[in-house]
Amino acid sequence: MTHAPIPGYRYDDPHLPESPVTAGDLEGLTAATLFSDTDVAALKLAGEVLADQTEQILDVWYGFVGSHPHLLAYFSTPEGVPVDAYLAGVRRRFGQWITDTCTRPYDARWLAQQEEIALRHTSAKKNATDGVRSVPHVPLRYLIAFIYPITATMRPFLAAKGHAEEEVEAMHQAWFKAVTLQVALWARPYAGAAW
Amino acid sequence: MTHAPIPGYRYDDPHLPESPVTAGDLEGLTAATLFSDTDVAALKLAGEVLADQTEQILDVWYGFVGSHPHLLAYFSTPEGVPVDAYLAGVRRRFGQWITDTCTRPYDARWLAQQEEIALRHTSAKKNATDGVRSVPHVPLRYLIAFIYPITATMRPFLAAKGHAEEEVEAMHQAWFKAVTLQVALWARPYAGAAW
């Protein structure tokens, strides 16, 4: 089976700039989030469990954002009209992000991709990837707030394939850690030297 | 029973400056974290469950920080010597923060207190409350990363008084939301206009 490339998805692009975040910075964050090899294994299993549920997960997340005008605003023109092409473009990369979170090694390339995602929330790079006219940035407070819904809504999907309760819980905790870790990385361009 | 006042604790101080965060900003964040009246009730119960467990919770959290030199550094001199008076002063307020999180209304006064806590992580106010010589700020990335341990380690304490599994889960989800919401507020001074 082959897949069409995802527009704007640069994970394997050799021209993706390196992240200013070092391997030492990442080690400090994995320690602070208690992220360990057990979580790597649990996320690998989660990747298998979630593989054919991506569209349903995105339906839940997009339903959540779409039902809150103050959140949909970040996918809309400055005048408040939702930009369908933008919603659709982000959606494909968001689906791939679920897979990457579960299956990619958290190495220098992954850090480069996290930095790219980070910048795409800020005035440095928002809107440019999809060539859309929208508001200039996503406020940092919502990146942090979304740790809750992006974590909590995942549990039923992790439980949907009949794994034992302890396995579901291990996958869910690993997911929670991985989301928290990534939001910490995405905060970098917002905070400058105090990051 | 009377308690000695907690040095540096300003919740009920009429001179505590108002927060620049508005009631509308807070409403946007409670919606984004799915925080509702159900969570207010669950936190009230959590406050009762946790009331006589504060010291044990703080032992877990301080044990975690103390076992990681790169985290203990924020309670240490710039040369890396832990400042006992600083650890002790923060500890008393940290214990009170658990109670406040569970029992205080999330109103303008609570927002003022969140802003005060926020600033005490930054070069604007860190170290001044306890009159200590330590590093100038806590990096934003660790405030965010700590959402995981501060949430995950709470569950056994919420379960310790024999409540039904659904009640424990409701308390734990409410705690997770409340911590995430507060870290989003504490990020404000780090991000300026992009907050």
Side-chain angles (χ1 to χ4, degrees):
Chain A
M1 196 164 79
T2 58
H3 294 284
I6 298 173
Y9 176 67
R10 294 187 63 192
Y11 209 114
D12 300 306
D13 177 351
H15 300 294
L16 189 67
E18 274 183 35
S19 173
V21 176
T22 67
D25 293 335
L26 177 59
E27 202 177 329
L29 283 172
T30 54
T33 53
L34 299 165
F35 188 88
S36 73
D37 289 346
T38 309
D39 298 299
V40 173
L43 285 173
K44 186 168 178 289
L45 180 59
E48 295 164 17
V49 166
L50 301 175
D52 66 354
Q53 301 187 83
T54 304
E55 291 306 315
Q56 294 97 303
I57 296 166
L58 291 167
D59 284 346
V60 170
W61 293 348
Y62 269 62
F64 176 64
V65 168
S67 67
H68 289 88
H70 74 294
L71 302 177
L72 188 59
Y74 303 110
F75 289 100
S76 302
T77 66
E79 297 77 31
V81 182
V83 182
D84 288 343
Y86 188 26
L87 283 157
V90 169
R91 184 176 168 122
R92 289 195 61 190
R93 296 190 298 273
F94 211 169
Q96 182 62 41
W97 172 79
I98 298 171
T99 305
D100 289 339
T101 296
C102 293
T103 62
R104 296 274 196 175
Y106 292 5
D107 55 12
R109 173 138 298 264
W110 181 82
L111 283 176
Q113 169 73 354
Q114 298 312 316
E115 179 69 10
E116 179 70 13
I117 293 173
L119 291 171
R120 289 182 185 186
H121 289 96
T122 72
S123 54
K125 286 207 170 182
K126 188 173 179 293
N127 309 328
T129 303
D130 300 287
V132 294
R133 195 174 70 86
S134 179
V135 297
H137 67 262
V138 180
L140 175 62
R141 64 186 184 274
Y142 287 124
L143 269 74
I144 299 171
F146 266 55
I147 292 173
Y148 183 79
I150 295 291
T151 298
T153 55
M154 194 53 105
R155 205 177 201 287
F157 295 103
L158 293 169
K161 298 295 169 79
H163 289 79
E165 172 60 23
E166 311 87 76
E167 286 176 301
V168 173
E169 182 61 15
M171 288 189 279
H172 195 220
Q173 291 299 312
W175 177 261
F176 178 9
K177 294 177 192 184
V179 171
T180 303
L181 178 59
Q182 288 178 79
V183 172
L185 292 170
W186 299 345
R188 198 207 57 76
Y190 292 87
W195 175 70
Chain B
M1 196 166 78
T2 58
H3 294 281
I6 298 174
Y9 176 66
R10 294 187 63 192
Y11 208 115
D12 300 306
D13 177 352
H15 300 293
L16 189 68
E18 275 183 35
S19 173
V21 176
T22 67
D25 293 335
L26 178 58
E27 202 176 329
L29 283 173
T30 54
T33 53
L34 299 165
F35 189 87
S36 74
D37 289 346
T38 309
D39 298 299
V40 173
L43 284 173
K44 185 166 178 291
L45 180 59
E48 295 165 17
V49 166
L50 301 174
D52 66 354
Q53 301 186 84
T54 304
E55 292 305 316
Q56 295 97 302
I57 297 166
L58 292 167
D59 284 347
V60 169
W61 293 348
Y62 270 61
F64 176 64
V65 169
S67 67
H68 289 88
H70 74 294
L71 302 176
L72 188 59
Y74 304 110
F75 289 99
S76 303
T77 66
E79 297 77 29
V81 181
V83 181
D84 288 343
Y86 187 27
L87 284 156
V90 169
R91 183 175 169 122
R92 290 194 62 190
R93 296 191 297 273
F94 210 170
Q96 183 62 41
W97 171 79
I98 298 171
T99 306
D100 289 339
T101 296
C102 293
T103 62
R104 296 275 196 175
Y106 292 6
D107 56 12
R109 173 139 298 262
W110 181 83
L111 282 176
Q113 170 72 354
Q114 298 313 317
E115 179 68 9
E116 179 70 13
I117 293 173
L119 291 171
R120 289 182 184 187
H121 288 97
T122 72
S123 54
K125 287 208 169 181
K126 188 172 178 292
N127 309 328
T129 303
D130 300 287
V132 294
R133 195 174 70 85
S134 180
V135 296
H137 68 262
V138 180
L140 175 62
R141 64 186 185 273
Y142 287 123
L143 270 74
I144 298 171
F146 266 55
I147 292 173
Y148 183 79
I150 294 291
T151 298
T153 56
M154 195 53 106
R155 204 176 202 286
F157 296 103
L158 293 169
K161 299 295 170 81
H163 289 80
E165 172 60 24
E166 312 86 77
E167 286 176 300
V168 173
E169 182 61 17
M171 288 189 278
H172 195 219
Q173 292 300 312
W175 177 260
F176 178 9
K177 294 177 192 183
V179 170
T180 304
L181 178 59
Q182 287 178 81
V183 172
L185 292 169
W186 299 346
R188 197 207 58 76
Y190 292 86
W195 176 69

